[in-house]
Amino acid sequence: MNPQQLVAATCIVSGLLFIFSIAGLNRPETAKRGTALGVVGMAMAMAAAMIELTAGEPSRATYLLLAGAVLAGTVIGAIYAFTVKMTGMPGLVALFNSFGGLASALVGFNSYLEHSDSGAAHLTEVFLGTMIGVVTFTGSIVAWAKLSEKSWARQVLLPGRNWINLGLLLASSGLGYWFVNSADGALLPLLTMSVLMAVFGIHLVLAIGGADMPVVVSILNAYSGLAATFAGFMLNSDVLIVTGTLVGSSGLILSYLMCRGMNRSFLSVILGGFGQLTTTVAIDGVDGVVTEIVPAKVAELLVNAENVIITPGYGMAVAQAQHPVAQLTRLLRGFGSEVRFAVHPVAGRMPGHMNVLLAEAQVPYDLVFEMDEINDDFATADVVLVIGANDTVNPAAATPGTPISGMPVLRVWEAKQVIVFKRGRGAGYAGVPNPLFYADNTAMCFGDAAQTIQAINAALPGV
Amino acid sequence: MMVIGVPSETAVNENRVALTPKTVVQLRKLGYDVMVEQGAGLKAGLPDAAFQAAGAVLMDKTATWGADIVLRVVAPSDAELALLHPGATLIAFLEPRFDQTMVDKCAAAGITALSMDMIPRISRAQSMDALSSMANISGYRAVVEAAHAFGRFLGGQVTAAGKVLPANVFIIGTGVAGLAAIGVANSMGAVVRATDVRPETAEQVESMGATFVQVNAAQVAQEVSADGYAKETSDDYNQRAAIMYAEQVKQADIVIATAAVPGKASPRLITAQMVAAMTPGSVIVDLAAPGGGNCELTKPGLSYVTDNGVTIIGYTDMVSRLAGQSSQLYARNVANLVGLLTPEPNGVPVVNFDDEIVRTATITLNGTVTFPPPAVQVSAPVAANVLSEQSPAPPPKSPLPWPIQVAAITVAAVAASLLLSLAPTAFLSSLAVFTLATVAGYYVVWGVTSALHTPLMSLSNAISGIIVVGAMWQLSSDSGLVRLIAALAIVVAVINIVGGFVITSRMVAMFRKEAR
């Protein structure tokens, strides 16, 4: 068997393995297998690349370089991934994504340096691949900084920012024309474009509010897939094309799902400025008095409740309250109450973020329901606990003219009693006042959610 | 302090009474005085002495109708209505959806009227849902009546004198009455099948021990999207349904039809032809008889035997035939409603229109018509035992007939092929891979459950590190600079790969199902 054929075959198989890998995430039962298949696919693809490299009989130094690079990457990646707390995980995903983008950009440069005279089609692929790689790189870094709440990454809205972005894109297109049409390509336009696109990536993401970061990370993830696809075109590698496309599909579909969950368009998210709208529409029911409640009283209500629904939001992640919440769940179920979780599609900072946190705290996933599955059941719930959620439970979404208008929300207010756990009295990310807090059947439990819920657990009988 | 009056029921064959001694006690605790007409509970097996012992005062007809709050089962006659004083409150089955004139009469009398059949089907109102509690009883009684008219055992037996086959019971409509009937027939040993237009009730039917029979709706839905004509499909659905009914009715020894729509004529599901195909000795119990019946041959109020020996029971007083039990449940429903109307135990009712139960049930308020009420968000389908004639077929999705769609796609496909033929060959083969991967990716990713979207993101992030392959190839370059850049690319790509996979497996390892 000649090595060329072995490599081609391995590439096909590893492409298939990646498809099976994602298919494995269909159900939690098969998710572990799916992840493992992804690892096998990656190992096979790298083995194939190794065989091809060996066939060229490179020097010992090259092998050392390869071994050193792989080792360094493994150590760094593993250290980060093993030490990160689950609440910091969205940021880490963004950071890893930036590395993927950087790698694509570097491969693009290399591809040019190796074959600078390889024709317009190849040069176009090089140019586009590098371009997307750079945007992914810097954009993801900013997204990581925002998700880790670095102070320099606060939302920046330059006047005429959309014109700046458009100008940068047009300038890059012009540079692309120059690059492709100069007889043997030229390093200058490629480098200039990279600088412009680095600025573009930073500027683009800086303008987007923290609440929209999940969509941004997801789109940037799609970009890094796209960058790999372009690399596949320029290196004539099917495995790169297949894999890059899979990643691209997953990123785009996830972004679409999230935008649909917020009832907003892709474009409005990407153009930024969310949360800056001043609400000019009067929202009914926000001028009453809020009823406050102490943890001991909440415990009393919960003991008598047969049907409890817990609605977590980003606040639960911030307060690291998932473990006390899980304990509360176990205690209440011990009394024979039905406890379920209602998760809004955009709760948290990643799609499915709440599911991951609850899973970490060992809440069985068959207690956790999606919005559409559980929204009709609020009317039959005795007590609903809203833990650090705000916009996703805001009845004002039904009022036209607010930034969250038309967004599907969890109808918690239909329950007999709603208890809202909140750090302070502010509005949510969208800056829309929430009439839920003033409703007659709502009581507010102010304070750090982890502490208040621990206090409730302690006040329950038999603890 | 207000006085509650409970007059006798005067309708023919009506044996129930609106309060029982137990509920008299419950209402007196709310601060009311209770008057009961002499002999009101006799037919339900509740003697006057029992009411007296519970603290009720025995009065005559005029006095009980003159109370501040009058509780009844059946709507009053015109003469009885005239006995009410303006401003009084009347609670009964007034059936305004059946008979709008009752609303006008109550308004003319200047009274506040709450109709028990208007209690919305929301969880909070379950304790007042008299339609459900009565349907439960009629479902039970239907089986008892059927067993009485049926000349055989319901259960199968193997005796020394030979084997007896169990009876086949077919139940149409699986609301409260239908489910109750399934339970009783099943416990008597019959083989029970049941159907409903709502396929989601199949689970409930099976939990009661019956087999669910359904019209092949999947096939129907498929045809909808194919030809796009909703109306024809609706006819088609009804045709299929009719075939299913014919088959099932023919096999059945006992048919219990419960497809009643409150306030509407009952759908005609069993034709004369189907009855003719039944074995002599079979029985049909038509609980929908008050609305005209589900069977064409039903004579409301009567039981008779057809020419081919099928007994058709169309009693409209099924509930009244278990007067003691039905009075007990109805009285509890009514008392709970009065409790809802009485926020303080001081015997003063408050008709609070902010409460959707009160709002929906009230058809007139001090002589003003408040019917029909605004729509209520129901947690269960409004009429749970409805088997409607409407087809469940969704509206047609595609506005264009399929030949036009195919033509448009063909044109686009040819244009795309011509355009692509201009591209270089190497690019084309890459593009083929790209196109197929896009389609595969699209379907695979949509399949991912939303709970695993974060792991999906981090998994696809790890996979995007595949670019490492490109960097590895570039290591073979002769240029030192290229090798250096490639090594750097490998480092960052491997960070992405290893970190991504580790995080993903950390996450998916946490998802666990409840240990049972």
Side-chain angles (χ1 to χ4, degrees):
Chain A
M1 185 186 332
N2 84 36
Q4 276 301 322
Q5 256 175 322
L6 182 63
V7 167
T10 313
C11 284
I12 293 172
V13 173
S14 70
L16 265 179
L17 282 172
F18 289 134
I19 292 178
F20 289 143
S21 168
I22 289 183
L25 293 191
N26 262 338
R27 285 176 297 133
E29 291 87 343
T30 53
K32 280 178 208 165
R33 189 184 71 201
T35 314
L37 289 181
V39 175
V40 175
M42 189 61 77
M44 286 183 67
M46 288 177 73
M50 188 72 200
I51 294 171
E52 222 174 340
L53 189 64
T54 318
E57 291 172 1
S59 65
R60 175 174 294 182
T62 307
Y63 282 124
L64 282 177
L65 199 60
L66 176 65
V70 170
L71 191 68
T74 306
V75 170
I76 297 171
I79 287 177
Y80 267 121
F82 274 117
T83 53
V84 71
K85 285 205 178 108
M86 273 304 142
T87 39
M89 181 262 316
L92 195 62
V93 171
L95 189 62
F96 286 150
N97 197 44
S98 80
F99 289 150
L102 179 60
S104 300
L106 292 176
V107 169
F109 264 96
N110 261 349
S111 186
Y112 163 72
L113 294 175
E114 275 286 278
H115 313 279
S116 55
D117 51 353
S118 48
H122 180 249
L123 286 179
T124 311
E125 288 155 9
V126 166
F127 192 83
L128 287 175
T130 311
M131 184 164 155
I132 295 172
V134 171
V135 173
T136 310
F137 173 51
T138 58
S140 299
I141 295 257
V142 177
W144 160 75
K146 275 184 185 269
L147 286 168
S148 336
E149 308 198 328
K150 303 270 180 241
S151 57
W152 58 267
R154 270 187 309 239
Q155 191 171 13
V156 176
L157 289 174
L158 297 179
R161 60 183 188 279
N162 292 335
W163 293 112
I164 298 179
N165 288 341
L166 191 65
L168 288 169
L169 281 177
L170 283 178
S172 296
S173 311
L175 290 167
Y177 184 80
W178 175 15
F179 178 72
V180 172
N181 287 290
S182 56
D184 53 352
L187 195 55
L188 184 64
L190 192 63
L191 276 174
T192 319
M193 178 276 290
S194 299
V195 174
L196 289 185
M197 281 297 107
V199 173
F200 176 78
I202 294 171
H203 177 241
L204 186 75
V205 181
L206 265 187
I208 300 174
D212 282 337
M213 273 312 113
V215 186
V216 173
V217 173
S218 177
I219 291 176
L220 289 172
N221 194 15
Y223 283 177
S224 68
L226 206 55
T229 307
F230 276 114
F233 275 106
M234 72 196 172
L235 302 171
N236 273 326
S237 157
D238 288 348
V239 70
L240 277 178
I241 295 176
V242 171
T243 318
T245 310
L246 272 181
V247 175
S249 303
S250 125
L252 285 178
I253 290 172
L254 280 179
S255 323
Y256 166 77
L257 283 173
M258 275 183 280
C259 288
R260 197 177 61 176
M262 296 190 289
N263 192 35
R264 301 178 58 213
S265 68
F266 258 146
L267 204 64
S268 72
V269 170
I270 293 307
L271 295 183
F274 188 40
Q276 299 302 302
L277 296 168
T278 43
T279 310
T280 49
V281 182
I283 290 166
D284 289 337
V286 293
D287 48 358
V289 229
V290 300
T291 316
E292 284 195 42
I293 191 165
V294 293
K297 194 88 179 90
V298 178
E300 226 170 89
L301 281 172
L302 287 173
V303 169
N304 294 318
E306 282 176 8
N307 188 341
V308 178
I309 300 181
I310 300 178
T311 306
Y314 185 53
M316 183 184 83
V318 173
Q320 291 277 344
Q322 66 270 30
H323 293 285
V325 168
Q327 198 200 350
L328 176 66
T329 309
R330 282 190 288 275
L331 290 171
L332 292 179
R333 298 185 81 213
F335 300 143
S337 321
E338 187 183 9
V339 182
R340 288 175 295 170
F341 287 82
V343 176
H344 191 276
V346 297
R349 287 294 173 270
M350 296 267 276
H353 191 185
M354 291 299 123
N355 303 73
V356 169
L357 292 181
L358 292 172
E360 183 204 8
Q362 303 203 320
V363 172
Y365 60 76
D366 38 2
L367 299 186
V368 184
F369 294 86
E370 290 171 49
M371 178 165 70
D372 295 339
E373 292 172 330
I374 203 171
N375 225 351
D376 289 336
D377 295 355
F378 281 109
T380 59
D382 296 314
V383 177
V384 169
L385 304 179
V386 175
I387 303 175
N390 190 342
D391 292 334
T392 54
V393 294
N394 193 339
T399 312
T402 73
I404 58 166
S405 292
M407 169 166 136
V409 290
L410 292 160
R411 298 191 299 270
V412 293
W413 57 88
E414 288 178 357
K416 258 183 224 148
Q417 176 70 51
V418 182
I419 296 165
V420 178
F421 295 82
K422 212 166 172 305
R423 228 178 333 182
R425 287 156 200 265
Y429 245 118
V432 184
N434 195 337
L436 174 71
F437 302 159
Y438 305 91
D440 289 340
N441 59 340
T442 301
M444 308 285 291
C445 192
F446 288 110
D448 178 83
Q451 285 168 17
T452 43
I453 289 167
Q454 265 157 8
I456 293 170
N457 291 345
L460 285 170
V463 179
Chain B
M1 186 189 292
M2 300 249 184
V3 180
I4 291 177
V6 182
S8 304
E9 299 296 324
T10 46
V12 183
N13 286 338
E14 184 52 71
N15 299 331
R16 288 172 288 179
V17 62
L19 275 191
T20 56
K22 241 185 176 167
T23 44
V24 167
V25 176
Q26 192 182 339
L27 293 182
R28 280 171 49 82
K29 275 192 193 148
L30 289 171
Y32 293 101
D33 276 344
V34 182
M35 301 190 295
V36 177
E37 186 179 339
Q38 276 169 337
L42 280 183
K43 282 188 280 187
L46 301 164
D48 287 348
F51 281 103
Q52 266 177 318
V57 184
L58 294 179
M59 299 293 256
D60 65 359
K61 177 175 179 154
T62 322
T64 46
W65 278 105
D68 302 306
I69 302 174
V70 175
L71 307 180
R72 268 273 287 222
V73 180
V74 178
S77 65
D78 292 353
E80 288 166 339
L81 208 53
L83 294 173
L84 283 160
H85 68 73
T89 302
L90 172 67
I91 301 178
F93 278 123
L94 300 172
E95 300 183 328
R97 286 175 292 207
F98 249 129
D99 183 9
Q100 175 85 38
T101 59
M102 181 50 72
V103 180
D104 302 332
K105 285 182 199 166
C106 289
I111 62 167
T112 297
L114 281 81
S115 188
M116 290 303 286
D117 54 299
M118 289 297 293
I119 299 280
R121 279 249 161 110
I122 60 178
S123 321
R124 195 163 58 87
Q126 267 174 12
S127 64
M128 304 161 217
D129 188 353
L131 281 181
S132 291
S133 54
M134 295 301 108
N136 182 16
I137 293 172
S138 61
Y140 170 88
R141 187 71 192 195
V143 180
V144 172
E145 293 289 347
H148 177 65
F150 186 55
R152 292 174 18 210
F153 289 150
L154 258 62
Q157 286 188 10
V158 179
T159 73
K163 201 169 90 172
V164 178
L165 288 176
N168 279 313
V169 176
F170 178 51
I171 292 172
I172 300 171
T174 58
V176 179
L179 290 175
I182 293 174
V184 178
N186 196 44
S187 68
M188 289 172 85
V191 174
V192 188
R193 274 186 278 266
T195 189
D196 197 294
V197 280
R198 300 162 299 153
E200 67 271 20
T201 59
E203 204 180 283
Q204 298 167 20
V205 167
E206 274 149 24
S207 75
M208 298 292 294
T211 312
F212 190 76
V213 186
Q214 73 174 323
V215 181
N216 196 342
Q219 212 173 335
V220 174
Q222 232 175 7
E223 290 188 5
V224 172
S225 47
D227 71 2
Y229 296 110
K231 182 139 194 323
E232 268 181 44
T233 322
S234 162
D235 287 347
D236 182 61
Y237 177 87
N238 289 339
Q239 260 174 25
R240 280 166 196 278
I243 293 169
M244 186 271 278
Y245 283 125
E247 273 172 12
Q248 294 294 332
V249 167
K250 192 177 167 190
Q251 287 174 22
D253 299 308
I254 294 175
V255 176
I256 296 177
T258 73
V261 190
K264 278 189 187 163
S266 310
R268 286 293 159 92
L269 302 169
I270 307 172
T271 60
Q273 226 178 346
M274 295 183 200
V275 176
M278 290 177 82
T279 333
S282 306
V283 181
I284 296 175
V285 180
D286 198 339
L287 285 182
N294 291 142
C295 174
E296 265 180 10
L297 301 180
T298 297
K299 296 181 182 165
L302 294 180
S303 164
Y304 74 105
V305 182
T306 62
D307 293 345
N308 67 326
V310 175
T311 309
I312 301 181
I313 300 175
Y315 296 149
T316 50
D317 60 342
M318 210 57 99
V319 177
S320 195
R321 287 165 180 254
L322 284 168
Q325 193 103 65
S326 50
S327 299
Q328 186 196 329
L329 297 185
Y330 180 75
R332 184 51 59 83
N333 293 142
V334 169
N336 286 337
L337 177 61
V338 175
L340 181 71
L341 289 171
T342 318
E344 304 282 334
N346 56 2
V348 180
V350 180
V351 179
N352 173 14
F353 267 21
D354 291 339
D355 187 309
E356 60 183 348
I357 299 174
V358 177
R359 174 63 195 93
T360 313
T362 307
I363 61 169
T364 66
L365 180 63
N366 291 319
T368 318
V369 174
T370 57
F371 176 86
V376 175
Q377 281 281 343
V378 286
S379 50
V382 180
N385 54 345
V386 167
L387 207 135
S388 82
E389 285 169 303
Q390 266 83 54
S391 135
K397 267 183 192 163
S398 82
L400 285 173
W402 67 266
I404 296 185
Q405 288 181 25
V406 171
I409 292 172
T410 312
V411 170
V414 171
S417 310
L418 289 176
L419 205 67
L420 284 174
S421 67
L422 302 175
T425 323
F427 178 77
L428 272 187
S429 76
S430 290
L431 193 70
V433 175
F434 172 75
T435 313
L436 295 179
T438 306
V439 175
Y442 179 85
Y443 285 105
V444 169
V445 172
W446 270 117
V448 173
T449 172
S450 72
L452 291 173
H453 276 166
T454 291
L456 168 65
M457 206 149 160
S458 104
L459 178 69
S460 66
N461 186 23
I463 291 179
S464 74
I466 189 71
I467 189 72
V468 74
V469 172
M472 283 170 73
W473 291 331
Q474 289 171 342
L475 266 189
S476 62
S477 164
D478 300 330
S479 148
L481 177 66
V482 169
R483 285 209 301 269
L484 196 67
I485 294 179
L488 189 59
I490 291 173
V491 174
V492 288
V494 170
I495 293 179
N496 189 359
I497 295 169
V498 173
F501 278 130
V502 169
I503 282 204
T504 312
S505 46
R506 269 184 70 188
M507 277 189 283
V508 298
M510 293 180 318
F511 279 84
R512 65 183 190 102
K513 202 174 176 134
E514 187 168 10
R516 291 189 200 275

